[in-house]
Amino acid sequence: MALEDAQAVRAVADALSAAAGTYHEKWKAGIGDGSIDPADAMLHVGKEQALRQNAAQMYVQAAALAGQEVGETQAGLEGAIRDADQAIAKMKQAAAAIELIGDLVTLAAAITARKPRLALAAVKELRDDLKQVRPA
């Protein structure tokens, strides 16, 4: 079974590191109490170092997987941001269209009511809104 999740790989690395620490304590205690011959100490040091080296390699693998996961997450976020930007642009266009329609309705109402000042104000508002929609 391949470990593909950074957390799972780190958990294995933590377990190897803890095992190396326990092994270190046991062989040192064995030398101290005479159950392990001091001449065999180098054999135990080598085994402990192999455990620690395996743990270190697993930590490197976990870091690489975490970097991959962050990259995938970042790509997803960038896509979502692009989609949101497009949606916002469409909303701004719709808002501008609604504002232009409102200006036209105001102009029509002013003309129907025979209010030249209101009609002139509506024309100016319409002109300003058109400039915002289509900058010169």
Side-chain angles (χ1 to χ4, degrees):
M1 178 177 113
L3 296 174
E4 295 179 5
D5 177 64
Q7 253 183 325
V9 174
R10 184 178 170 99
V12 172
D14 288 343
L16 283 173
S17 186
T22 301
Y23 187 76
H24 175 81
E25 294 302 320
K26 292 211 179 243
W27 73 258
K28 271 186 71 177
I31 289 174
D33 68 13
S35 63
I36 294 178
D37 183 6
D40 293 333
M42 288 309 292
L43 173 69
H44 294 290
V45 168
K47 288 180 181 180
E48 177 190 341
Q49 289 305 315
L51 282 171
R52 292 191 188 282
Q53 184 176 8
N54 286 335
Q57 289 171 344
M58 298 289 288
Y59 284 125
V60 169
Q61 183 182 357
L65 285 172
Q68 256 181 333
E69 292 168 2
V70 167
E72 291 168 4
T73 301
Q74 182 176 358
L77 287 174
E78 287 172 355
I81 289 169
R82 276 192 303 275
D83 293 346
D85 284 343
Q86 290 172 353
I88 289 169
K90 287 179 183 177
M91 287 180 211
K92 286 181 179 179
Q93 288 174 343
I98 291 168
E99 193 164 340
L100 288 174
I101 291 168
D103 293 342
L104 288 170
V105 169
T106 303
L107 176 60
I111 291 171
T112 303
R114 296 185 176 152
K115 302 280 186 177
R117 287 186 184 185
L118 289 177
L120 184 59
V123 167
K124 288 180 181 178
E125 185 68 28
L126 186 60
R127 182 193 63 205
D128 293 343
D129 289 344
L130 283 171
K131 284 181 183 176
Q132 287 181 358
V133 172
R134 282 203 172 176

